[in-house]
Amino acid sequence: MTQPLTVWAVTEGQIGTENQARGVAEALIGGGPGSVVVKRIAVRAPWRWLPPALWPAPLMALGRDGDALEPPWPDILISCGRRAAAPNLAVRKRSGGAILSVHIQRPYLPSDRFDLVVAPQHDGLHGANVHVTRAAVHRVTAERLAASRRKAGDGAEPVRHAVTVLIGGSNRRHRLTEAIAARFAERLAALCRARPVDLRLTPSRRTHPAIVRIFAEKLAGTGAEIWDGSGDNPYFDWLAVADTIVVTWDSVSMTSEALATGKPVYVLPLEGASRRIDRFHAGLQADGYTRVFDGALDRWDYAPPDDTAAAAAAIRARLRARGQPAGAMRSG
């Protein structure tokens, strides 16, 4: 009996990779029947210290403190993140090739072993089974933004320019230093003094507490709202109401989500360099999507990349090519 489509979104649980896998899975299901099952795996020692290509039995490398990957199998498994790629292929093999195996981002394994790899342009990955996106896939949709605007009172006439700031943090390649945070906060404070601005800042899990304190101190008296990590994350709501968005350079995911709004997006460069991330930002600036933040607010228009919907369409095409009904659920 044919049943609704079942899709697993498999990651290690980091918000950036999980949102990418969930975003494509949700776009694939759409408003129709089916379910998205989020699986957060945990890789145990010693395998977490080794490249996944060296794991002899990827499913045995998973610890009990994460979600199990076991039957009944889904129709489609969408993984994201380096350590999720090998378990994806292991499930594909264990299912006898019954599932459609999709990986998001460069898998650091032979891409032709997957049914489909969804890779952003700046990854530089190509192949017959590689679908290339302009930016990162995500969960920001026009419907979600519209719902957030309605909740905020979309009918009210705004009297102040709404600026949303998405703050990341230091990673292996880039550093959000206290000096950079102080200069950035001073520019934001000057902006608030120069014109009527509703300023909202949302730190991420990688934002060091000392960086958050600097913003709080420098922006005191401006009326800026800084999410303190308690309660529901206002991330989607603050994207929806923004007239302008500023994003720190370190996050491809947050920049891609900001672009989904169609609003002007500024980026804040950090210390350090990453050939992959720097290529991503250089391409967006060259194509007129983003600009470097210098303290001023300009207005420009662009067509938001529709990468998530395009990735879902590529997966549906793979299902049709296999002759697999979209609603057939695997139980092996």
Side-chain angles (χ1 to χ4, degrees), residues 81-170:
R82 186 177 305 192
R83 288 179 178 158
N88 183 329
L89 292 176
V91 169
R92 183 178 189 270
K93 181 177 180 180
R94 187 75 62 87
S95 73
I99 70 163
L100 190 79
S101 171
V102 180
H103 185 75
I104 298 171
Q105 299 181 347
R106 179 183 289 274
Y108 294 94
L109 293 168
S111 59
D112 59 5
R113 294 174 61 187
F114 299 86
D115 291 302
L116 185 68
V117 173
V118 177
Q121 179 177 307
H122 56 276
D123 269 359
L125 189 65
H126 302 281
N129 68 324
V130 177
H131 174 79
V132 178
T133 62
R134 183 65 184 84
V137 293
H138 50 75
R139 298 184 67 208
V140 180
T141 64
E143 293 76 17
R144 177 171 276 131
L145 293 172
S148 291
R149 284 192 291 269
R150 286 193 298 271
K151 184 170 63 175
D154 193 33
E157 185 68 24
V159 296
R160 302 169 73 88
H161 192 93
V163 178
T164 293
V165 181
L166 311 179
I167 308 171
S170 298

Side-chain angles (χ1 to χ4, degrees), residues 3 29 36 39 42 49 54 57 71 78 113 120 130 170 177 182 197-198 216 259 276 287 304 315 318 326 329 331:
Q3 297 182 21
I29 295 295
V36 175
K39 296 276 190 177
W49 302 318
L54 299 181
I78 302 176
R113 294 174 61 187
V130 177
S170 298
T177 65
V197 169
D198 279 331
L259 288 172
R276 176 178 170 274
D287 291 344
I315 295 172
R318 292 282 165 169
M329 184 167 67
S331 59

Side-chain angles (χ1 to χ4, degrees), residues 167 175-190 193 201 210-219 248 268-270 293:
I167 308 171
R175 294 177 298 281
L176 176 52
T177 65
E178 294 185 14
I180 290 175
R183 289 195 299 270
F184 182 30
E186 288 167 358
R187 284 182 174 179
L188 292 174
R193 291 191 295 268
L201 296 85
I211 299 296
V212 179
R213 284 195 298 271
I214 288 171
F215 281 108
E217 292 168 0
K218 296 286 186 180
L219 294 171
T248 55
L268 178 73
L270 304 180
F293 182 69

